Amino acid sequence: MCNRSIASETLAQAWASAQQVDHTVAAAAERESAARDGLAAAEAHRLPNVSLSAGYTRLQSEPAAAITVPALHINGLPFAQDEAYSAAVSFSAPLYTAGRISHGIAAAGAMTDAARAASALSRQELKLAVAEAYVNVLRAQHLNGVATSHVTAITRHVDDVEQLYKQGYAAKHDVLASQVALADARQQALQAANGVALAGAAYNRLLGRPQDTPTDLAELNDTQEPSAGQLAGLIAAGRAQRNELTQLGAQETALRRQADSVAAQRAPQVGLNGGWGKLQNRYLVDDKGWWIGVALKWDLFDGGKVKRESSQLASNARAVAELRADAADKIELQVRQAWLRWQEAAARIDVARAALAQADETLDLSRERYRAGLAPNSEVLDAETRRASAYANRDNAWYDRALARLRLQYASGSL
């Protein structure tokens, strides 16, 4: 294929531009950031919780104990003020949670891994979409060129037939047939030109540009040919590198860890708490002080709620494992299909090149035979149609190979 100007946009530049504006990629990045925050929040459960409290209380009257001492003229003994300020600093920290916190942290870490894989997957999917749109633009432009050259060739033949008709060497039927062929060629050219506009609009949308922006793309020069020994390695790479499998594996791990964390709630939970406080009260000998203690919480019966919640999460984890196994099989199929299409397109290129030379030579001979009165007009029109078809087949084979190669890179996780 022909090379374009140095200023033409390359596929790598298109990928970089698309990743800067794509909303799906941006959303995946935000979900990855959210997962990291979730991991930090889970890790924070291991740290002490410190709080400050303060308050003001106003009572209708001073609280008094129901104590009567007639000799001392005491009828009720006050033990608190009718208004008071209080303040306290307290802390609490887990001492033993039977793995509830550690499993929760592991689950959050696995979810972070899943979000990271999902973010990478969204970038790969975008790259494949941009690559397909890029190839479609190049294909449409080349097919438009073929359609334009077909119109030019038929127009030239119509001029020859009309000239021969004026000289009495061609029949009116030949003129009409040639004009019908020209009209058909123009129809095809209109469709091809519209195909360029449609392909360009789809490409520009992915790059966040006005959809009627002219496209000037660099030609793809990938000439690598498939070999039989590559397939097994590509399948193994797909199973090892595809982000879908990484994401599903991390989701399975997260669900299993969440199940363990929930199950740990059935075990004793031990925590440490303490603090320092002050209560304004003139009746107290010491209105401030500190305290410390150990608390135990053990739910002996909850109706099976925790057990069922843990079992639910474990079942979901097994479901994800099944989906991962299914995805691995589908990935192998995707790799095999892309490789076979790459192999087919590469073989078609050689056939198309040979057919191209034969089609050009056949058209030249048909024109000479027609001018000499040795061949009918339909032979020339058929030869020109076959020539245009041969060029279209060559371009389609070329871009089918390029597209199959890109899809194979995606399927094997290396795009």
Side-chain angles (χ1 to χ4, degrees):
M1 304 300 293
C2 62
N3 292 325
R4 302 216 169 183
S5 63
I6 298 177
S8 299
E9 185 172 46
T10 65
L11 182 55
Q13 292 170 336
W15 282 337
S17 298
Q19 290 187 29
Q20 292 176 358
V21 299
D22 186 75
H23 298 296
T24 303
V25 169
E30 290 297 333
R31 284 192 290 268
E32 183 180 352
S33 177
R36 288 195 297 268
D37 290 338
L39 174 59
E43 291 173 338
H45 283 92
R46 294 183 301 189
L47 303 176
N49 183 17
V50 181
S51 60
L52 171 66
S53 61
Y56 167 77
T57 303
R58 180 72 171 86
L59 304 176
Q60 182 178 356
S61 59
E62 286 188 339
I67 298 175
T68 301
V69 184
L72 299 177
H73 305 287
I74 295 176
N75 185 18
L77 184 63
F79 60 85
Q81 301 174 197
D82 58 356
E83 62 176 348
Y85 294 92
S86 63
V89 177
S90 61
F91 75 91
S92 61
L95 293 179
Y96 175 75
T97 64
R100 176 176 58 83
I101 292 177
S102 60
H103 287 310
I105 293 172
M111 290 304 296
T112 302
D113 293 339
R116 188 179 300 112
S119 183
L121 176 60
S122 67
R123 291 193 296 271
Q124 282 187 318
E125 289 177 340
L126 175 64
K127 289 180 71 174
L128 178 61
V130 170
E132 290 176 341
Y134 190 99
V135 171
N136 287 340
V137 170
L138 292 175
R139 186 199 303 267
Q141 290 174 345
H142 279 80
L143 292 179
N144 184 50
V146 171
T148 301
S149 71
H150 184 50
V151 170
T152 301
I154 296 293
T155 300
R156 194 176 101 186
H157 178 66
V158 169
D159 291 341
D160 290 343
V161 173
E162 289 178 346
Q163 189 64 33
L164 290 172
Y165 174 72
K166 291 176 181 179
Q167 296 173 1
Y169 295 113
K172 181 67 173 179
H173 175 271
D174 291 351
V175 176
L176 295 174
S178 300
Q179 291 174 343
V180 170
L182 177 59
D184 183 64
R186 286 172 175 165
Q187 288 274 358
Q188 295 176 24
L190 289 172
Q191 293 173 347
N194 190 52
V196 172
L198 291 172
Y203 175 78
N204 285 323
R205 186 196 70 81
L206 289 172
L207 273 66
R209 299 170 180 168
Q211 295 182 12
D212 57 353
T213 302
T215 55
D216 180 17
L217 307 183
E219 193 57 73
L220 296 172
N221 293 314
D222 182 11
T223 58
Q224 183 177 351
E225 298 292 337
S227 61
Q230 291 176 302
L231 182 56
L234 290 167
I235 290 174
R239 286 181 173 271
Q241 298 176 175
R242 283 286 288 270
N243 286 296
E244 294 97 320
L245 299 182
T246 302
Q247 181 184 8
L248 289 170
Q251 288 176 351
E252 179 191 355
T253 300
L255 287 167
R256 293 191 184 279
R257 291 293 192 171
Q258 288 173 2
D260 294 338
S261 179
V262 170
Q265 296 178 20
R266 292 184 293 176
Q269 308 290 306
V270 181
L272 176 69
N273 57 69
W276 180 91
K278 176 178 174 57
L279 174 62
Q280 182 187 21
N281 191 338
R282 60 176 173 266
Y283 298 105
L284 295 177
V285 175
D286 192 354
D287 62 355
K288 58 183 178 295
W290 58 268
W291 74 93
I292 192 167
V294 176
L296 168 67
K297 180 178 181 293
W298 191 357
D299 293 331
L300 299 178
F301 178 75
D302 63 358
K305 179 177 72 71
V306 169
K307 180 180 179 181
R308 293 301 181 184
E309 289 178 352
S310 177
S311 178
Q312 178 188 24
L313 291 166
S315 295
N316 285 334
R318 290 190 293 271
V320 172
E322 293 295 335
L323 292 176
R324 188 181 187 279
D326 182 64
D329 291 339
K330 289 179 179 177
I331 285 171
E332 179 176 348
L333 178 61
Q334 289 176 3
V335 172
R336 191 177 299 275
Q337 288 174 333
W339 189 85
L340 289 172
R341 287 174 181 139
W342 182 31
Q343 188 180 48
E344 173 203 336
R348 283 166 48 207
I349 289 177
D350 294 334
V351 175
R353 285 171 177 165
L356 205 61
Q358 294 168 354
D360 284 335
E361 184 177 358
T362 299
L363 178 60
D364 291 340
L365 290 174
S366 296
R367 283 172 173 166
E368 291 177 5
R369 282 164 50 81
Y370 177 72
R371 293 190 188 103
L374 300 176
N377 177 57
S378 60
E379 181 177 309
V380 179
L381 296 177
D382 290 343
E384 168 53 29
T385 299
R386 288 193 295 271
R387 184 199 70 85
S389 178
Y391 275 91
N393 288 340
R394 180 204 60 179
D395 291 341
N396 279 324
W398 177 274
Y399 290 113
D400 284 346
R401 183 180 71 170
L403 193 54
R405 172 81 172 133
L406 289 164
R407 286 173 175 165
L408 182 58
Q409 290 176 339
Y410 171 82
S412 61
S414 61
L415 186 63

